[in-house]
Amino acid sequence: MKLEIAVLPGDGIGPEVTAESIKVLKAIALEFDHNFIFTHAPVGATAIDSHNDPLPEESLSLCRQTDAILFGAIGHPKYDNDPNAAVRPEQGLLKLRKELGLYANIRPVQAYDALLEQSPLKKERIAGTDISIFRELTGGIYFGEKHLSEDGQQASDLCAYSVEEIERITRKAFEAAQHRRKKVTLVDKANVLETSRLWRRVVKDIATDYPEVELDFLFVDNAAMQLILRPTQFDVVLTENLFGDVISDEASVIGGSIGLLASASVGDRHAMFEPIHGSFPEGAGKGIANPLASILSAAMLLEHFGLYSEAGMIKTAVDRSLELKITTPDLHPENTQITTSKVGDFIEDFISHPNDSNINFANVHLGQSTII
Ligand code: IPM
Ligand code: MG
């Protein structure tokens, strides 16, 4: 298959982790005889520095023309604490989501057996967790009208949803549930918010088209608690933009590191794949960033195009790296020698020689491998 992929590495650790995904995708292309063409473009704080715009027109038009987008991370501390900043890196990401109509953000959360000890949560609670969060990504309070009074004493952000916006992501969530454990949990605040009541009405209606899928409802405050108390009760979690942002970071604790969480942002015409972690500026350039979230996002890219064996190969390689503890120090603090690119090398090498990984493990540790 020929795929044109726009690469937007962005800020902080974005470029480092994205480089590992490209390495892995190139290995897949070689192994499975595909033609993946990568074109880089600026976004975020980097693009503000070079173009005075967090999403330059050339980057947006590249994304419109390509089959898929591989995104790194966005954000820089110099903008975070400056409420007066006229442009912010995050605007680049939000504009990209909106302009490309990427309304469904899919965030898988899994408790890896090899990492049960790494989670701050009790392993008997999290073992077996396998959740797919469907976060609405182009509506709600993120995109509603914003207002700051002239005297600076009052501000508001409007949360608005239309039936159509709710319907399209709901269908995607139910379709995914049909291929999973056939359960959708709508997370909302219907006891308080009018938008949540609209969500309930629309989701209930659509559920009748999927009779084999069970639908239940949870208020977001309760859901935040249940996610930590009994995460195995969830299959597909469907929610609006802001709630999805919050609970997906919370859910990342289950997997042991936010450095493992991949995501796909999908619309009717375009699709973008990105790790859910941020730009981690303190970690940039040190080789300590965990590339697995980005690499798993690349696997989601392959799945999006029906390349399931290829995606499966990456996931097996990631499982193997976790079993063999070939990870960055966020997962195993003693691994001070295992850098971002060594983890990527291991995954790449596994794809080329799947039966050889024990040897590779020894070599990585002894520093003797050709892949070092
Ligand atoms: C995410 C991020 C973004 C969001 C930021 C960077 C704007 O936290 O993708 O979850 O809030 O959506
Ligand atoms: Mg977030």
Side-chain angles (χ1 to χ4, degrees):
M1 181 182 280
K2 180 180 173 197
L3 285 180
E4 307 249 7
I5 301 172
V7 182
L8 274 58
D11 305 325
I13 58 168
E16 293 162 59
V17 295
T18 311
E20 300 313 309
S21 293
I22 295 176
K23 190 189 273 178
V24 168
L25 285 171
K26 284 186 174 165
I28 289 283
L30 206 64
E31 216 41 43
F32 290 82
D33 206 15
H34 297 305
N35 181 13
F36 299 156
I37 300 155
F38 301 95
T39 313
H40 285 65
V43 72
T46 323
I48 299 179
D49 292 344
S50 62
H51 292 69
N52 209 17
D53 182 348
L55 181 65
E57 196 45 49
E58 68 192 61
S59 302
L60 181 59
S61 69
L62 174 76
C63 293
R64 283 192 204 284
Q65 287 157 29
T66 44
D67 299 302
I69 304 150
L70 197 58
F71 192 92
I74 213 161
H76 192 283
K78 75 179 170 204
Y79 301 96
D80 291 347
N81 298 321
D82 177 7
N84 297 319
V87 279
R88 294 173 182 283
E90 290 78 5
Q91 288 164 346
L93 179 57
L94 297 178
K95 185 170 172 198
L96 201 53
R97 290 172 177 171
K98 193 72 173 175
E99 291 282 328
L100 299 180
L102 306 174
Y103 58 81
N105 182 222
I106 304 153
R107 298 185 162 184
V109 176
Q110 201 185 325
Y112 290 91
D113 286 342
L115 292 176
L116 290 179
E117 303 289 346
Q118 260 63 41
S119 173
L121 304 174
K122 289 202 176 79
K123 63 178 179 191
E124 53 277 17
R125 281 191 198 278
I126 58 170
T129 301
D130 177 9
I131 307 174
S132 190
I133 299 177
F134 274 66
R135 167 188 176 195
E136 200 290 327
L137 203 58
T138 53
I141 198 165
Y142 271 62
F143 293 95
E145 191 185 324
K146 299 185 186 308
H147 177 71
L148 177 67
S149 66
E150 259 173 39
D151 62 4
Q153 297 301 302
Q154 269 200 340
S156 63
D157 297 275
L158 182 72
C159 179
Y161 269 109
S162 69
V163 169
E164 193 205 339
E165 283 174 314
I166 301 168
E167 268 174 2
R168 57 191 185 179
I169 182 160
T170 300
R171 290 210 179 274
K172 285 209 186 293
F174 274 86
E175 274 153 30
Q178 281 181 316
H179 301 287
R180 295 174 46 95
R181 298 191 311 283
K182 301 188 170 48
K183 182 175 170 189
V184 171
T185 304
L186 174 64
V187 168
D188 64 20
K189 189 75 187 171
N191 49 348
V192 177
L193 301 178
E194 203 56 52
T195 41
S196 287
R197 289 192 275 269
L198 183 65
W199 271 81
R200 279 208 185 195
R201 198 185 84 205
V202 174
V203 173
K204 268 187 191 166
D205 270 2
I206 289 182
T208 59
D209 291 344
Y210 304 86
E212 71 285 18
V213 178
E214 179 196 344
L215 169 65
D216 68 358
F217 307 95
L218 270 187
F219 296 142
V220 63
D221 45 354
N222 187 13
M225 189 171 72
Q226 296 296 330
L227 261 176
I228 301 299
L229 281 179
R230 209 163 57 83
T232 50
Q233 71 185 284
F234 296 106
D235 178 16
V236 171
V237 170
L238 169 63
T239 192
E240 61 95 74
N241 204 343
L242 182 60
F243 298 160
D245 180 46
V246 176
I247 65 166
S248 57
D249 267 31
E250 185 197 5
S252 76
V253 176
I254 297 167
S257 168
I258 196 165
L260 285 174
L261 282 210
S263 84
S265 302
V266 178
D268 294 329
R269 281 194 306 280
H270 302 281
M272 179 161 93
F273 302 85
E274 59 171 309
I276 87 152
H277 60 67
S279 57
F280 185 31
E282 314 78 34
K286 295 185 182 155
I288 57 170
N290 189 341
L292 293 182
S294 179
I295 291 171
L296 288 167
S297 303
M300 291 185 86
L301 183 156
L302 297 173
E303 276 171 358
H304 181 77
F305 292 98
L307 303 178
Y308 297 107
S309 309
E310 291 82 340
M313 186 109 184
I314 295 181
K315 289 191 206 167
T316 309
V318 168
D319 285 346
R320 199 81 187 112
S321 79
L322 296 177
E323 281 159 26
L324 296 172
K325 299 193 167 61
I326 302 181
T327 73
T328 42
D330 54 315
L331 292 174
H332 295 287
E334 70 280 11
N335 285 358
T336 49
Q337 304 301 314
I338 302 190
T339 58
T340 308
S341 70
K342 278 191 189 167
V343 174
D345 287 346
F346 173 80
I347 308 284
E348 176 194 39
D349 205 49
F350 182 95
I351 290 164
S352 321
H353 315 97
N355 301 318
D356 232 12
S357 57
N358 282 323
I359 299 168
N360 295 334
F361 172 60
N363 289 344
V364 166
H365 280 271
L366 295 170
Q368 289 170 349
S369 167
T370 48
I371 64 173
I372 292 202

